[in-house]
Amino acid sequence: QSTLLSEKLTQMMEWASKRSVIRMNGDKFRRFVKAPPRNYSVVIMFTALQPQRQCGVCRQADEEFQVLANSWRYSSAFTNKVFFASVDFDEGSDVFQMLSMNSAPTFLHFPSKGKPRRSDTYELQVRGFAAEQLARWVADRTDVQIRVIRPPNYAGPLLLGFLLAVIGGLAYLRRHNLEFLFNKNVWAFSALCFVLIMTSGQMWNHIRGPPYAHKNPSTGQVSYIHGSSQAQFVAETHIVLLFNAAITMGMVLLCEAATSDMDIGKRKIMCVAGIGLVMLFFSWLLSIFRAKYHGYPYSFLMG
């Protein structure tokens, strides 16, 4: 037993020294994860990265999983207590069948002692697949604290610098006529865009890192709206932003119809268009709310 355990640990350490995320097939999974003896935990990402699987979420999750595994592998606190591995459907479909798994990506923790519990399955739809969220889950399951270290990303600072340069260039070109800086419509539009972005859930996406959408591997059906009130997809925030913007546009048209000096015909058209936008998109927005908050009793136009 001790000799076999030592051999397994040595092999796992050798693989981990070459790749932070150990690639496993059915044979490796059965020998190094399922079969005793084992005194180490294994965190496995079950995925489908081959192009024909068309799993964009799998690629995004894989990038975050690699960040987490690299942070642990090159940490001064690295030990043989926890290993990170992945099983691709096309390399280990028998493992998927063994575990009755029909969706990817899925993260499972196999503890050093005993069988995996319900809490050893990561709640991807609720928590997202950001490396920081995965690290908290790993710490909860293994007591191993991993400080996530990301490679430097210069895209944000470069984009900000470019934006500031454009604004500075426009201000310089119009330095003799800066009245546009005091235009209330410009500031109102900018503030409105900021409010719409924040209220649609973009900050939640930034913190949690949810998938763009979810594709059911069995039926191929793509879901853009998450069925739970505790989570959301990136596509969902875009839809909500669009609906809120349309409702806002309807309110603006109604205000303009009431206060404008235009002829009565145009004001009537603006009024009808405004009422239509508000009623239609508010109804759609309420239907999304009802779909996420099951049992909500109220509806408008659409059930």
Side-chain angles (χ1 to χ4, degrees):
Q1 288 271 356
S2 60
T3 304
L4 179 58
L5 178 60
S6 177
E7 290 177 355
K8 291 171 72 172
L9 266 176
T10 301
Q11 183 64 75
M12 291 291 285
M13 288 294 288
E14 181 182 341
W15 285 333
S17 66
K18 296 177 181 177
R19 297 174 62 98
S20 299
V21 177
I22 301 170
R23 294 180 62 175
M24 287 190 170
N25 54 23
D27 292 335
K28 288 182 180 179
F29 177 81
R30 281 184 286 272
R31 181 181 173 192
F32 292 93
V33 179
K34 293 291 287 183
R38 179 166 56 84
N39 64 352
Y40 52 86
S41 296
V42 186
V43 179
I44 300 183
M45 178 182 68
F46 295 88
T47 186
L49 294 173
Q50 295 302 316
Q52 67 267 23
R53 299 299 173 190
Q54 298 181 346
C55 183
V57 178
C58 292
R59 296 187 185 90
Q60 298 172 32
D62 180 66
E63 292 175 2
E64 292 296 306
F65 195 62
Q66 293 287 346
V67 169
L68 176 63
N70 285 330
S71 299
W72 171 237
R73 174 63 187 84
Y74 298 107
S75 166
S76 58
F78 174 73
T79 65
N80 57 12
K81 186 178 179 180
V82 178
F83 293 97
F84 290 89
S86 67
V87 176
D88 193 285
F89 180 79
D90 290 283
E91 297 174 0
S93 57
D94 53 336
V95 180
F96 278 72
Q97 294 174 1
M98 182 194 311
L99 300 175
S100 301
M101 194 175 297
N102 56 12
S103 64
T106 299
F107 298 92
L108 288 182
H109 166 245
F110 293 86
S112 56
K113 296 180 180 179
K115 295 182 179 180
R117 301 176 181 178
R118 183 176 181 180
S119 54
D120 287 309
T121 300
Y122 182 71
E123 295 177 312
L124 179 65
Q125 302 299 336
V126 175
R127 306 176 70 170
F129 49 70
E132 290 78 7
Q133 291 293 329
L134 287 167
R136 293 189 186 99
W137 171 66
V138 170
D140 179 59
R141 305 313 308 151
T142 66
D143 293 327
V144 171
Q145 304 291 332
I146 302 176
R147 182 188 171 204
V148 175
I149 301 176
R150 294 181 176 276
N153 184 357
Y154 301 106
L158 285 174
L159 184 61
L160 178 61
F162 176 76
L163 182 62
L164 291 175
V166 170
I167 294 173
L170 290 174
Y172 177 77
L173 291 174
R174 300 194 60 176
R175 60 187 182 278
H176 300 301
N177 182 15
L178 297 177
E179 291 182 3
F180 71 96
L181 290 177
F182 303 97
N183 189 317
K184 64 178 182 180
N185 290 330
V186 171
W187 289 104
F189 180 76
S190 301
L192 183 60
C193 289
F194 179 78
V195 170
L196 288 173
I197 290 172
M198 290 297 105
T199 56
S200 66
Q202 297 294 337
M203 188 57 68
W204 194 94
N205 291 344
H206 180 73
I207 295 171
R208 294 294 185 91
Y212 187 81
H214 176 69
K215 183 177 182 180
N216 190 313
S218 302
T219 63
Q221 183 179 0
V222 179
S223 300
Y224 297 102
I225 306 294
H226 198 286
S228 169
S229 61
Q230 302 297 316
Q232 66 184 21
F233 297 132
V234 174
E236 185 177 328
T237 64
H238 296 164
I239 293 170
V240 170
L241 189 152
L242 176 64
F243 286 3
N244 282 331
I247 293 170
T248 303
M249 177 61 70
M251 296 300 295
V252 169
L253 287 174
L254 287 173
C255 290
E256 286 294 313
T259 60
S260 175
D261 295 330
M262 290 187 293
D263 63 82
I264 192 70
K266 291 182 179 179
R267 291 168 66 182
K268 284 183 178 180
I269 293 174
M270 291 172 65
C271 185
V272 172
I275 292 174
L277 283 172
V278 172
M279 292 180 63
L280 180 62
F281 284 94
F282 180 77
S283 176
W284 280 341
L285 198 61
L286 192 60
S287 67
I288 292 176
F289 187 85
R290 282 168 55 85
K292 294 179 70 67
Y293 290 82
H294 305 287
Y296 185 76
Y298 305 108
S299 62
F300 180 67
L301 293 184
M302 301 177 189

